[in-house]
Amino acid sequence: MGEERRRFEEIFLPFLDAAYNLARWIVQHDQDAQDIVQEAYMRAFKGYHGFRGGNGRAWLLTIVRNTAYTWINRHAADEKLVPYEEEKHAAIISFNQPGNEIVSEKRREYLQSALERLPTEFREIIILYELEGLSYKQLALTLGLPVGTVMSRLSRARRRLQQEFAQVRNSEAANEL
């Protein structure tokens, strides 16, 4: 058991930050995200015998994602989560736009607020692609979706993020008046 545990940790410990990042963006609460990652890590260890090699990061993030959704389903009555509705939430913002430090910091704040307002499915795909750097193929594996669906969902998520960003920015400007 010790050798198996050592191999497991060798493969998956480097991905704990990415796991926490994904969980934090899905559930939007630090302590809940920590609990989810801990539970997912235990699930991954219990299911390690089923891991056939390949992309360990995608495999672990899939478990984290599933654990987070299980957590949401258990706590949905307690939380004010916006349910995902495909037809309602169909909706690009560049993460690398230049500007001075003050403007950049304000844009980061607007972006974080806009991300937090997105439905979970959009928020997670943006985080996994833009911040965690997963490819379309890795996203498809992690999310359990066809690559074409990943591409269209990412496109819709970006459009929605752009709309939310504009709304946050306009709301902030109106409050300054």
Side-chain angles (χ1 to χ4, degrees):
M1 185 80 150
E3 179 63 22
E4 181 181 28
R5 181 183 183 111
R6 186 193 62 74
R7 281 195 318 253
F8 175 82
E9 289 177 350
E10 200 172 89
I11 294 169
F12 297 105
L13 274 178
F15 306 127
L16 283 182
D17 286 343
Y20 170 77
N21 194 28
L22 175 60
R24 175 67 175 86
W25 280 105
I26 290 174
V27 297
Q28 298 186 318
H29 296 100
D30 179 61
Q31 187 62 48
D32 296 334
Q34 291 175 20
D35 293 346
I36 287 166
V37 170
Q38 183 175 21
E39 184 178 337
Y41 196 74
M42 294 303 297
R43 285 182 182 184
F45 183 68
K46 287 178 184 175
Y48 179 59
H49 64 280
F51 178 65
R52 302 287 180 241
N55 190 331
R57 182 179 187 194
W59 189 77
L60 180 62
L61 291 178
T62 299
I63 295 169
V64 170
R65 178 181 181 265
N66 293 340
T67 303
Y69 280 112
T70 299
W71 183 92
I72 286 172
N73 289 335
R74 276 187 289 194
H75 296 89
D78 302 334
E79 300 292 326
K80 294 180 180 177
L81 299 174
V82 177
Y84 175 72
E85 297 173 27
E86 182 76 31
E87 56 282 342
K88 182 178 177 184
H89 293 119
I92 257 176
I93 189 167
S94 173
F95 286 98
N96 299 319
Q97 294 184 0
N100 67 36
E101 258 184 59
I102 295 170
V103 172
S104 292
E105 182 59 32
K106 198 57 142 168
R107 291 179 79 87
R108 272 189 225 102
E109 289 174 20
Y110 293 161
L111 180 58
Q112 182 164 346
S113 292
L115 274 167
E116 290 171 354
R117 294 170 61 155
L118 290 178
T120 306
E121 288 79 6
F122 286 170
R123 192 169 51 243
E124 77 180 353
I125 202 162
I126 293 274
I127 297 305
L128 289 171
Y129 185 77
E130 299 291 350
L131 299 182
E132 296 301 330
L134 269 63
S135 68
Y136 289 144
K137 186 176 179 181
Q138 291 170 328
L139 280 169
L141 179 65
T142 301
L143 301 175
L145 299 170
V147 172
T149 303
V150 165
M151 293 167 61
S152 64
R153 185 175 292 176
L154 183 58
S155 177
R156 288 192 312 274
R158 286 175 170 161
R159 282 194 305 272
R160 177 69 184 269
L161 180 59
Q162 185 179 31
Q163 292 170 351
E164 294 294 341
F165 183 86
Q167 192 172 22
V168 167
R169 187 185 61 223
N170 292 340
S171 175
E172 180 76 17
N175 288 338
E176 290 176 2
L177 294 178

